[in-house]
Amino acid sequence: MSLPDWYRTGAVWAFLALAGPPLMVCLVLGVAGAVVQTATQIREAAIAFVPKAIGLLLLFLLGGSLMLSVATRYARHVFDAVPGIVHGLNDG
């Protein structure tokens, strides 16, 4: 069974477009929170959690529609290609 190349590369690009921005926001804000905790010597969990929660909320409010359009476009492309993939498997 051989899948088309666009199926694999499209999945990777869709994954990067959907998971990349939230991971980067959490990484940057987590490091910033760790620096603040180290500089102030305050060991409070809220210092690490609250900025990440606010950053993710802002990211989804500002870029959520773009991320949803990426997921929708890829899913539509996959579902449109299913008949061709299934018929290609039956021919072989």
Side-chain angles (χ1 to χ4, degrees):
M1 178 174 126
S2 177
L3 293 174
D5 286 338
W6 65 263
Y7 187 79
R8 287 185 287 273
T9 57
V12 169
W13 284 111
F15 173 77
L16 290 175
L18 295 174
L23 288 173
M24 289 304 294
V25 166
C26 284
L27 176 71
V28 169
L29 293 177
V31 169
V35 168
V36 168
Q37 283 184 331
T38 302
T40 61
Q41 295 184 353
I42 296 174
R43 298 289 176 220
E44 181 63 36
I47 293 175
F49 175 74
V50 172
K52 287 186 219 174
I54 292 171
L56 286 175
L57 180 67
L58 287 174
L59 174 71
F60 291 136
L61 286 174
L62 298 174
S65 62
L66 179 64
M67 293 167 67
L68 184 62
S69 70
V70 168
T72 303
R73 190 175 336 119
Y74 180 69
R76 184 172 292 135
H77 192 71
V78 168
F79 287 132
D80 288 343
V82 165
I85 293 172
V86 170
H87 290 302
L89 293 176
N90 289 336
D91 292 339

